Amino acid sequence: MGFTLPARHARGRVVRLGPVLDRILAAHDYPPAIRHLLAEALTITALIGSLLKDGDGQLTMQAQTENGIVDLLVCDYRAGELRGYVRHDAERLAMLGANPSLYALFGQGYLAITFDMASSGERYQGIVPLEGGSLAEACESYFAQSEQVPTLLRIAVRSDRQGAVAGGLLVQHLAEGEDGRQRLHVRMDHPEWEHVAVLAGSARHDELVDPDLSLEALIWRLFHEEGEVRVLPGAPLTRGCRCSIEHYQAVLAKFPEEDRAEMRNEAGLVIVDCAFCSRLFEISA
Ligand SMILES: [Zn+2]
């Protein structure tokens, strides 16, 4: 769900992932710390993805490092469809405590956020060092450094036997109503933004994941003292992947025959692995 605070030149998004999160996590057999990391990443991806104006555009978030316990995390969003996976070293992870820090998981890494615009075919990518106490903090610095947009992100994840729930809030300051234009510098101390950041920052962990508190009620609770709050419905979120036999056949058809011959196994099939679904496909190509 989206909202704007016109008088403060601020806009925001709130999401809550319930069964869709369980469906994505169910494709992988991850230990708790990695499930938590992926849930956080998917929530952020859903929030940033919902900022796309282009309905068929794609948002990809990728965190990467060379020698980290996690060496690759990928999530993407397209038209309400979410997917993601984490590549990690389970043995080294087992030696960490229950709540490893972002640095303990990744070491020196970087965060890349890519916007693919379907209508124009344009691609925009920003890359920043993976720094801060959490993925949410790293994304806040991405927006400050790469887009010069003051941004606040709050993410909460709760996981128990009934399943996982994640909630997220993103709020941004678009000074003078500018939308998407590059600014010369980022002003984090603008009085309008300081005010909005205090209100948004008061969102509590339990409110973000409370299934009995609707997203609209949460927005109202945070910003009810503002003169005007405009609420915009968001796209429903689903688990979505583009992997299918037909898709891989089409991809393989673009390779020269001699390359395809090298990829074939003894049975004459090409084995393709979808990391998002933890699934192998046998393609006759
Ligand atoms: Zn897949």
Side-chain angles (χ1 to χ4, degrees):
M1 178 169 279
F3 61 91
T4 58
L5 306 171
R8 308 282 185 192
H9 302 112
R11 68 169 175 184
R13 296 288 185 274
V14 266
V15 296
R16 192 173 291 130
L17 309 181
V20 62
L21 184 58
D22 284 324
R23 278 198 286 279
I24 298 172
L25 295 175
H28 312 284
D29 186 18
Y30 291 151
I34 300 297
R35 285 170 62 90
H36 192 280
L37 177 72
L38 181 56
E40 190 178 358
L42 288 163
T43 310
I44 296 171
T45 302
L47 287 167
I48 303 177
S50 70
L51 296 172
L52 287 166
K53 286 182 211 82
D54 183 341
D56 289 320
Q58 179 169 313
L59 178 278
T60 308
M61 180 166 81
Q62 192 163 324
Q64 206 164 350
T65 178
E66 274 177 19
N67 300 307
I69 289 175
V70 172
D71 70 336
L72 180 65
L73 176 155
V74 185
C75 289
D76 67 26
Y77 170 101
R78 193 172 75 177
E81 289 188 347
L82 273 177
R83 58 180 188 171
Y85 70 93
V86 180
R87 207 166 65 197
H88 67 287
D89 182 332
E91 279 178 30
R92 282 168 66 201
L93 178 72
M95 293 189 287
L96 291 181
N99 293 303
S101 68
L102 191 70
Y103 185 78
L105 288 173
F106 284 91
Q108 299 280 4
Y110 65 85
L111 174 74
I113 295 188
T114 311
F115 294 87
D116 284 295
M117 308 304 169
S119 52
S120 60
E122 276 177 288
R123 162 176 274 220
Y124 170 73
Q125 185 178 61
I127 300 178
V128 295
L130 193 60
E131 289 169 347
S134 65
L135 212 49
E137 275 181 43
C139 288
E140 287 176 346
S141 15
Y142 164 82
F143 280 107
Q145 291 173 37
S146 189
E147 305 210 357
Q148 287 84 47
V149 178
T151 301
L152 177 139
L153 267 168
R154 287 286 178 277
I155 307 295
V157 179
R158 195 184 69 198
S159 185
D160 55 32
R161 281 192 192 84
Q162 273 87 52
V165 182
L169 168 71
L170 172 150
V171 185
Q172 297 190 312
H173 188 231
L174 303 169
E176 318 307 333
E178 286 179 71
D179 197 346
R181 250 189 294 157
Q182 286 281 340
R183 269 162 292 280
L184 293 175
H185 60 280
V186 55
R187 221 191 126 181
M188 305 300 280
D189 63 347
H190 194 294
E192 271 178 359
W193 172 242
E194 284 184 340
H195 177 79
V196 171
V198 166
L199 296 181
S202 72
R204 297 195 318 266
H205 193 281
D206 59 307
E207 291 175 319
L208 291 170
V209 293
D210 179 0
D212 295 327
L213 180 66
S214 73
L215 297 178
E216 201 161 359
L218 174 61
I219 295 169
W220 177 247
R221 198 179 272 192
L222 295 171
F223 302 109
H224 63 93
E225 285 173 12
E226 292 299 295
E228 188 187 1
V229 183
R230 287 186 207 153
V231 176
L232 327 142
L237 297 165
T238 56
R239 174 185 187 277
C241 195
R242 267 78 82 192
C243 65
S244 66
I245 294 203
E246 296 72 26
H247 170 72
Y248 290 126
Q249 274 171 338
V251 172
L252 287 168
K254 291 180 187 147
F255 283 89
E257 171 51 27
E258 56 185 78
D259 291 2
R260 278 199 300 269
E262 264 178 42
M263 292 182 227
R264 284 191 196 106
N265 64 12
E266 284 157 11
L269 298 166
V270 179
I271 308 296
V272 185
D273 174 10
C274 177
F276 291 102
C277 301
S278 303
R279 205 178 143 193
L280 293 175
F281 289 84
E282 296 183 328
I283 316 292
S284 55

